[in-house]
Amino acid sequence: MNKNWFIGIDVSKKTLDASIFVADVVINKFPHTQVRNDKEGFKELLRWLKEQGVRPQDALIGLEFTGYYSDALEQFLTSKKLCYAMLPTTVVKHYQRGARDKNDKMDSAKIADYLFRFHDTECIKLRVLPSKAMQDLKALKSERKFYVRHRTDCENRQKVAKSRDEQKNLQKIIDLYDKEIERIDQKMADVVTSDEEIHLTYMRLMSIPGIGSVNAINTIANTQNFTAFETARQYAKYVGVAPSEHLSGTSVRWRGRPSPHADLQAKADLSMAAMRAVEFSFEMNVYYERKLGNRPDDKDVKRKALNAVKFKLIRQMFSVANQHRNFKPLEQTQTQAEIHNTDQRVN
């Protein structure tokens, strides 16, 4: 990656802090500016870069994954055909160079320094903005998640309400959330049908027993139509279904466990899909019963068995998406041993 300048940008809700890497200069002395996090601020940032002698087309820009706050900046950089990379938050949090001070200016300087030192390695990958349909799905999914979370809060509050008036008021709010969620579901369905590639993937996912429209759309949005993750296990770790190892030397041997920073809403939706799959799919029912073994009343065993079903559903979704075909269930005439042998070949 042949670039002459390296620009680090720390994104917050209202402002952007930008720093330019300069060789042989202390990291906290890098040229720095702060602009608003809007279109006028983006234009002001480009003017400042040119004043500093930077040619934006020959620069590599880096910013952290901040979700909604960086969406407008990404679209602006893409429209200007500028190269930029998205970095995980751990880059700034654990980057050892520079002072121990924690502020937006120092964070942007650390990003600029990191870009310079690792721009020729696999640590830095240029960001390609997803299609308009994928961006719309991502925004709608985030909005739906917000309404679902607050509806659940109201439903939980309603269970402990101390008066009928409080119950009625909460029910009105719940009904409003239901209408908003229904409206968003319709908009998401319209977005899916408007893009042929996304629609084909959606129909293939819907052919899997237990997978409904919510899980299909969530998975397409999270995986950017199965391009953001190379394997099913990577996505399973992202949603907290597969464990992550923690080993170091001879003394640290922590038991593998799912990350606490997983997409818990996607995991909860997969739980509902897993229960439906066990109920309506012969293959999944046999698989679930085998995982239960001789302890069907043990809650911990049931949780692990259901988690195994969720992982199997993720594998099935990746299989039909990558192989461009609909799901074909096993015949019910197969014995449990034959299904077990099939699972072993897939694993």
Side-chain angles (χ1 to χ4, degrees), residues 199-215:
H199 187 247
L200 284 173
T201 303
Y202 173 81
M203 296 306 295
R204 289 167 185 144
L205 297 184
M206 290 290 287
S207 68
I208 301 174
I211 298 297
S213 60
V214 171
N215 275 289

Side-chain angles (χ1 to χ4, degrees), residues 2-145:
N2 188 16
K3 295 296 179 182
N4 298 324
W5 291 279
F6 302 93
I7 317 299
I9 299 179
D10 182 80
V11 181
S12 60
K13 183 177 181 180
K14 295 182 179 180
T15 60
L16 302 176
D17 284 81
S19 294
I20 305 172
F21 173 84
V22 179
D24 301 324
V25 172
V26 180
I27 190 171
N28 57 0
K29 300 295 184 180
F30 286 173
H32 166 265
T33 190
Q34 185 180 82
V35 298
R36 293 184 303 172
N37 189 0
D38 57 25
K39 193 170 183 178
E40 291 302 318
F42 306 155
K43 293 179 180 179
E44 182 181 344
L45 176 61
L46 288 186
R47 288 194 294 270
W48 176 78
L49 290 175
K50 293 176 182 178
E51 291 173 358
Q52 297 295 318
V54 175
R55 189 170 183 269
Q57 288 73 17
D58 292 335
L60 175 61
I61 300 171
L63 49 149
E64 289 181 292
F65 281 102
T66 53
Y68 174 78
Y69 296 150
S70 63
D71 285 350
L73 177 59
E74 286 189 65
Q75 293 175 7
F76 178 82
L77 295 175
T78 300
S79 68
K80 296 296 182 180
K81 298 181 180 180
L82 302 180
C83 295
Y84 69 100
M86 304 295 290
L87 306 178
T89 56
T90 52
V91 167
V92 172
K93 184 176 181 181
H94 300 297
Y95 196 52
Q96 297 301 318
R97 294 188 61 82
R100 293 185 178 273
D101 296 336
K102 176 67 174 72
N103 53 59
D104 295 339
K105 176 183 177 180
M106 180 57 65
D107 288 348
S108 64
K110 286 182 178 180
I111 294 174
D113 190 84
Y114 183 88
L115 290 177
F116 169 73
R117 299 182 187 281
F118 297 99
H119 68 277
D120 282 330
T121 70
E122 61 180 9
C123 297
I124 305 296
K125 295 181 180 179
L126 295 183
R127 169 78 163 174
V128 178
L129 198 65
S131 65
K132 178 63 166 57
M134 196 62 65
Q135 293 178 51
D136 292 341
L137 272 185
K138 178 183 175 182
L140 289 169
K141 184 180 80 72
S142 177
E143 186 179 358
R144 187 183 191 278
K145 180 179 179 180

Side-chain angles (χ1 to χ4, degrees), residues 262-301:
D263 188 336
L264 300 181
Q265 183 60 53
K267 184 178 182 180
D269 292 334
L270 274 172
S271 297
M272 300 300 295
M275 288 187 285
R276 289 197 299 268
V278 169
E279 183 178 358
F280 296 109
S281 170
F282 170 75
E283 176 187 355
M284 282 299 193
N285 183 266
V286 173
Y287 181 73
Y288 178 70
E289 292 295 334
R290 178 164 62 81
K291 289 293 183 180
L292 283 178
N294 298 322
R295 295 182 291 175
D297 297 327
D298 190 318
K299 292 184 178 180
D300 189 53
V301 173

